[in-house]
Amino acid sequence: MTLLTTFPIRRLSRTDLPRCLDLAADRGWTREDRTWQLLLTAGTGYGIDDPDGDRLIGSIVLTRYGQDLACASMVLVAERHARQGLGRRLMTHALAEAEGTPVFLFSTDCGRPLYERLGFTPVSRSTTRAGRFRPEPRAAEATRPATAADLPAILRLDAEVFGSDRMHLLTRLPAFVEQVRVAENPRGVTGFAAAWRDAHHTVIGPVVAQDTATARHLIADLAVRTEGEVRLDMDTRHTELGSWLDMRAVRPVAGNTVMIHGAPDLPGDHHRRFAPLMVALG
């Protein structure tokens, strides 16, 4: 019998989108077609084909940010082939493709032991918060809608805060998100945030801001323009923002460990990095 660990790993393309959605559904994930489209465009997907049909039995996506950093995500193995070494093989393949570039990811508690065995180390925690945002009285908006003219300033701020070049991702935001807002002072843009829809929520992210007050203004001005529940994946080191979100009825529902391979920590300035675009991209 052919061992699963000998099956070839191939690059995925956007034509594999239905197979990726089916694999996600097999593991109980929602069929987030727009998310997968973004990942397969901004990043590079790898998969293992099912020898018994036109399906995938494993996947991973590696998204590069310049030459200095990459993000691994969508590490999925079909339920019937779980615990047979495929997850380890896919991650090992992605690390080899990264060619020494530091790789980070958001890990569930179940996945963390595997990643630790592969040399990943924890650097922070991320809490998923969700709920129907409860507005607070304010005299006026503190942020404004972003325009095309703001893009250079957003890219400069993001590169400074994130520590890597994410231009190829951020330039796709206008086509992916519903809202982008910026905060500014007389010297220029001091923060930006976006909101986009997943299957169940309006997700607010990324959130990049000079301080907690600016982050609150960006989140509030996005949230009041949404219907239903909002979701954020927030760096837990921002305790003041967490307390404010508790009061706004956006409370913890899950969590992840941020881990990195090949470097002691993520680059950039975590003090101004409040929330990722999504846990699959950072």
Side-chain angles (χ1 to χ4, degrees):
M1 183 176 73
T2 303
L3 294 175
L4 290 173
T5 52
T6 67
F7 289 178
I9 298 175
R10 65 172 177 87
R11 286 187 63 164
L12 303 177
S13 71
R14 292 189 65 176
T15 62
D16 290 299
L17 177 60
R19 300 176 185 87
C20 293
L21 295 174
D22 288 344
L23 178 59
D26 175 77
R27 295 315 304 253
W29 293 18
T30 54
R31 300 175 69 90
E32 296 286 352
D33 58 334
R34 292 179 64 246
T35 299
W36 276 98
Q37 287 180 43
L38 178 63
L39 289 166
L40 293 175
T41 302
T44 303
Y46 301 95
I48 301 174
D49 289 313
D50 189 336
D52 298 321
D54 187 26
R55 296 172 294 186
L56 291 174
I57 60 172
S59 71
I60 191 170
V61 177
L62 186 70
T63 306
R64 289 181 175 272
Y65 300 129
Q67 301 300 312
D68 305 318
L69 191 65
C71 180
S73 64
M74 300 315 204
V75 185
L76 285 166
V77 173
E79 177 64 33
R80 63 193 180 283
H81 295 306
R83 296 171 294 280
Q84 297 181 52
L86 291 187
R88 182 185 184 92
R89 183 159 175 251
L90 285 161
M91 182 56 72
T92 301
H93 182 84
L95 291 173
E97 290 293 320
E99 298 178 321
T101 298
V103 176
F104 76 99
L105 52 77
F106 286 70
S107 171
T108 63
D109 291 341
C110 290
R112 179 170 170 171
L114 168 62
Y115 303 136
E116 288 180 333
R117 288 194 294 272
L118 290 171
F120 283 83
T121 56
V123 294
S124 65
R125 285 283 295 178
S126 171
T127 296
T128 300
R129 290 174 166 269
R132 188 178 292 271
F133 183 82
R134 183 184 301 148
E136 59 184 338
R138 283 197 293 150
E141 293 179 356
T143 70
R144 63 169 174 81
T147 69
D150 294 312
L151 183 59
I154 288 173
L155 291 174
R156 285 194 299 269
L157 178 60
D158 186 81
E160 181 181 337
V161 171
F162 197 82
S164 298
D165 180 7
R166 301 202 301 168
M167 181 174 67
H168 75 293
L169 175 62
L170 295 182
T171 52
R172 290 180 167 89
L173 280 188
F176 181 75
V177 306
E178 279 71 47
Q179 304 180 63
V180 182
R181 297 188 72 88
V182 296
E184 58 189 346
N185 63 22
R187 294 185 300 276
V189 171
T190 61
F192 72 93
W196 54 278
R197 286 292 304 175
D198 69 6
H200 305 294
H201 309 89
T202 294
V203 181
I204 296 178
V207 180
V208 172
Q210 67 176 355
D211 52 33
T212 301
T214 303
R216 289 201 309 263
H217 292 322
L218 287 163
I219 292 167
D221 287 348
L222 289 168
V224 297
R225 288 169 173 77
T226 67
E227 295 183 1
E229 293 193 347
V230 300
R231 166 181 163 165
L232 294 95
D233 294 283
M234 195 199 82
D235 189 318
T236 58
R237 289 173 289 193
H238 294 292
T239 55
E240 184 182 346
L241 181 63
S243 297
W244 176 79
L245 287 168
D246 285 337
M247 292 187 292
R248 306 272 70 78
V250 182
R251 299 188 173 95
V253 295
N256 292 283
T257 301
V258 184
M259 309 184 75
I260 194 165
H261 182 284
D265 203 347
L266 285 169
D269 182 2
H270 78 266
H271 294 96
R272 293 182 287 168
R273 191 171 57 230
F274 288 85
L277 171 62
M278 62 179 71
V279 295
L281 287 168

